[in-house]
Amino acid sequence: MVSEAQDPAPGTPTPSGRPATLAVALFGYTVARMLLVVVIAAVILFGGKLVGVDVPFLVAAVFGVLIALPLGMYLFKSLRLKVNGEIAAIEADRRARHDDLQSRLRGDK
């Protein structure tokens, strides 16, 4: 169940409620998270080589994902909140259109 949208905190971008804006925000968040995984995996691979340990690529990739999951939530909080705000704005617009349609079908308008 989707919770009610709350007023954004000061300094938080106001969601526009357009699917295109949501797509851009979601793309940016996804790319940032993927880059974080790549950077962490590269650090594991090359860090291992620096200390003389040969780390397999798959192991570095798995640990990159596992480390990036919580780290990305913290580092990219503003991007995540923007995506959540856009989803809430689109849902509120959809709900308003649905309620308007229902009232017109009942003959209230």
Side-chain angles (χ1 to χ4, degrees), residues 19-38:
T21 309
L22 172 62
V24 170
L26 190 58
F27 179 75
Y29 182 60
T30 303
V31 167
R33 298 283 304 256
M34 292 176 108
L35 285 174
L36 182 62
V37 170
V38 169

Side-chain angles (χ1 to χ4, degrees), residues 2 20 39 50 61-62 76 96:
V2 177
V39 167
L50 286 175
V62 167
F76 306 127

Side-chain angles (χ1 to χ4, degrees), residues 29 33 36-37 40 62-77 80:
Y29 182 60
R33 298 283 304 256
L36 182 62
V37 170
I40 291 172
V62 167
F63 276 101
V65 169
L66 291 175
I67 294 169
L69 284 171
L71 191 58
M73 293 290 288
Y74 176 74
L75 291 177
F76 306 127
K77 182 177 181 179
R80 182 174 45 87

Side-chain angles (χ1 to χ4, degrees), residues 78-97:
S78 62
L79 292 174
R80 182 174 45 87
L81 291 176
K82 183 176 180 181
V83 169
N84 290 347
E86 292 295 332
I87 291 171
I90 289 173
E91 176 63 20
D93 183 50
R94 187 207 61 82
R95 187 174 295 130
R97 285 185 286 128

